[in-house]
Amino acid sequence: MADARKVVAGLFMSLDGVVEAPDRWHFPYLNDEMAAAVGSMHAAADTLLLGRVTYESFAAVWPHQTGELADQINSIHKLVVSTTLDRADWTNSTLIAGDVIGSLVELKRQPGKNIHLTGSLTLTRMLLYAGFIDELRLLIHPIVLGTGERLFPEGTDRVSLELARSATFTTGVLDLTYQPARPHSRR
């Protein structure tokens, strides 16, 4: 039986692969095209998957925001992966402190929309290497930062992906969606 839902990871990235602290460099590229792209990712999901750092960052900001995207993010079911948090108090949040993969396997079997993983670099890497991400959506910004944590640092294990969709925004941001490569196309 095929999975009823997809795990879709979305990240803002610089041309040199930096994903760290997008709040410091992403906003000059935010326009209606990008807002629509990000909004569509959230609209296609009924669950938001977050690591501890992203959860704490989002929980400090989003409950105080208004508008359509804020309403989506605040009302969506949130799964927070953490071994250090005792609780997740933001509306509709559930803490996963144990078997992340097992919890997500069970969730994927249930009917519903996508599970959207945003930010959460450690969690994104873990799920990508475990073969658990169905789509990796990168919004690559036309900026070279020169420093910062990269999605794929030196020494990263090989992960074969196929480009499933691409678009270019008027700001020069590339909106790229990758899926796991089919066995015959791995190089």
Side-chain angles (χ1 to χ4, degrees):
M1 179 174 112
D3 290 331
R5 314 167 89 169
K6 291 192 280 185
V7 174
V8 178
L11 293 166
F12 297 134
M13 182 187 291
S14 69
L15 278 177
D16 55 342
V18 174
V19 291
E20 181 182 9
D23 56 312
R24 296 185 194 148
W25 49 266
H26 153 74
F27 288 105
Y29 301 95
L30 181 60
N31 65 1
D32 290 342
E33 293 167 304
M34 186 176 295
V38 171
S40 72
M41 283 189 273
H42 287 290
D46 63 7
T47 303
L48 184 59
L49 182 61
L50 304 165
R52 179 194 54 83
V53 173
T54 303
Y55 168 78
E56 290 178 334
S57 174
F58 277 29
V61 173
W62 284 107
H64 312 290
Q65 303 299 312
T66 59
E68 187 176 338
L69 183 57
D71 291 346
Q72 285 176 332
I73 291 173
N74 286 317
S75 65
I76 196 169
H77 179 229
K78 292 167 272 298
L79 293 177
V80 184
V81 177
S82 175
T83 57
T84 59
L85 289 177
D86 294 325
R87 63 183 195 270
D89 293 330
W90 186 14
T91 304
N92 297 324
S93 295
T94 303
L95 188 62
I96 298 176
D99 180 11
V100 175
I101 299 292
S103 296
L104 293 176
V105 165
E106 182 58 34
L107 182 62
K108 283 184 72 171
R109 288 185 179 137
Q110 298 172 10
K113 294 175 153 184
N114 290 343
I115 302 161
H116 180 58
L117 169 59
T118 188
S120 306
L121 184 55
T122 301
L123 184 57
T124 299
R125 285 181 186 145
M126 180 189 81
L127 295 178
L128 186 63
Y129 297 135
F132 207 73
I133 291 180
D134 300 295
E135 290 184 4
L136 177 63
R137 189 162 179 187
L138 301 175
L139 293 167
I140 301 178
H141 293 56
I143 185 171
V144 174
L145 298 171
T147 185
E149 193 164 5
R150 288 164 170 72
L151 176 57
F152 304 110
E154 187 72 28
T156 298
D157 290 338
R158 180 184 290 203
V159 176
S160 296
L161 303 168
E162 292 178 350
L163 183 65
R165 190 189 61 73
S166 66
T168 304
F169 300 153
T170 57
T171 59
V173 170
L174 298 174
D175 180 3
L176 306 175
T177 300
Y178 291 93
Q179 296 174 333
R182 294 182 297 269
H184 72 278
S185 65
R186 291 186 179 170
R187 296 183 179 131

